[in-house]
Amino acid sequence: MPGERNVSAEGGAFITVEGGEGAGKTTLVKSLAECLAESGQRVRLTFEPGGTALGARLRSLVLDPELEMGDWDETWLFLAARASHVEEVLKPALASGELVFSDRYSDSTLAYQGYGRGLDIDRLRSLNAEATRGLTPDLTLLLDVQAEVGLARTRRRSSDADRIGDADLAFHQRVNAGFRALAAEDGGRIVVIDASRDASTVFVDAFRIVNDWLDARAGDS
Ligand code: Z5A
């Protein structure tokens, strides 16, 4: 919300990992959290939708392929999950000085519900600001991979139906184009990583980016 202070400015650091389906977010964020914890950082790993009891229930609703819902109904569920995530997990962890990684956050709503579903981006931005109480990431790693490649990865892994993942290829292409547009607008926060490469190469790049960012932040304080 305008004028509200980002809590991470006075406590820990808030890093999000974003990207389309099968970009490798979960794989990357787990390795990053493990390595940084080994190097002595106090790390918290969390995700959306989920990360709280309410978020877990909302996740199963919003991904349920048997359940029909309108695009705005879908959006409210993601926002409700986010609001509880911010209050119950993110703000306390940041206030206690942890380095917090979230596998997806508010950019996913802009990319999926805005660019993918075609809902009004400015309205989504202001709803995001309300749901997050103004908490924005300090750094976002955007894993960029062609939709066809990401979808092939997740379909190899599992054949489980999922209401959003099963949307057509054009939807996933709009989502990916949306993420790239967000990165072009906010290059100071969002760093694009080529995620078409193997997982260990992506990890090396991401680890360097995070460490450089942490060093620069320490130098500024
Ligand atoms: N959603 C939304 O619409 N609006 C919102 O506001 C939010 C979310 C927050 C659930 O999210 C859905 O909610 C998601 C967006 C929507 N739907 N879609 N699409 P999710 O994060 O739980 O689901 P996901 O993005 O679909 O996660 P995922 O399929 O697990 O993708 P991932 O985390 O990016 O990838 P991964 O699990 O790390 O890897 C997938 C497979 O690829 C796995 O077998 C890996 O071993 C393999 N992999 C990983 N990296 C590589 C590389 N570099 N090369 C080759 N293979 C790899």
Side-chain angles (χ1 to χ4, degrees):
M1 242 173 283
E4 198 154 325
R5 206 175 42 213
N6 188 340
V7 291
S8 64
E10 59 187 44
F14 182 27
I15 300 179
T16 58
V17 180
E18 297 275 12
E21 166 119 340
K25 299 172 299 298
T26 308
T27 305
L28 173 67
V29 88
K30 281 186 182 157
S31 321
L32 281 177
E34 255 171 47
C35 279
L36 287 156
E38 276 166 20
S39 72
Q41 296 272 355
R42 285 200 302 127
V43 179
R44 175 75 64 105
L45 178 52
T46 183
F47 65 100
E48 288 194 11
T52 64
L54 177 65
R57 297 269 189 100
L58 294 173
R59 178 188 179 89
S60 64
L61 283 177
V62 82
L63 298 184
D64 184 348
E66 306 294 324
L67 200 56
E68 285 188 21
M69 65 180 79
D71 295 342
W72 278 109
D73 297 334
E74 174 182 286
T75 304
W76 298 122
L77 295 180
F78 283 116
L79 292 168
R82 181 158 307 131
S84 76
H85 190 216
V86 167
E87 287 307 312
E88 292 177 33
V89 178
L90 298 175
K91 281 191 172 183
L94 291 166
S96 80
E98 290 183 314
L99 173 56
V100 180
F101 285 93
S102 184
D103 183 347
R104 294 198 183 280
Y105 188 61
S106 48
D107 293 314
S108 280
T109 302
L110 301 180
Y112 279 85
Q113 281 65 52
Y115 288 90
R117 300 289 195 216
L119 302 184
D120 183 77
I121 301 274
D122 288 336
R123 185 163 180 218
L124 291 172
R125 282 188 202 280
S126 85
L127 292 170
N128 255 339
E130 294 210 32
T132 61
R133 318 287 195 279
L135 177 67
T136 53
D138 296 305
L139 173 69
T140 295
L141 305 177
L142 172 58
L143 298 190
D144 184 39
V145 68
Q146 278 199 313
E148 294 89 325
V149 175
L151 290 169
R153 287 178 186 167
T154 53
R155 285 170 189 166
R156 261 198 305 276
R157 179 188 57 186
S158 154
S159 57
D160 290 353
D162 143 7
R163 215 179 50 78
I164 297 178
D166 293 347
D168 61 23
L169 177 63
F171 170 81
H172 290 285
Q173 288 172 329
R174 288 196 299 278
V175 168
N176 284 355
F179 275 124
R180 284 182 213 118
L182 296 174
E185 276 169 31
D186 197 355
R189 170 176 66 88
I190 305 178
V191 181
V192 183
I193 296 176
D194 173 4
S196 64
R197 300 165 300 164
D198 63 86
S200 53
T201 307
V202 172
F203 168 76
V204 169
D205 252 17
F207 191 64
R208 178 188 46 77
I209 291 164
V210 170
N211 272 311
D212 287 353
W213 183 85
L214 288 170
D215 287 346
R217 187 177 190 259
D220 286 345
S221 60

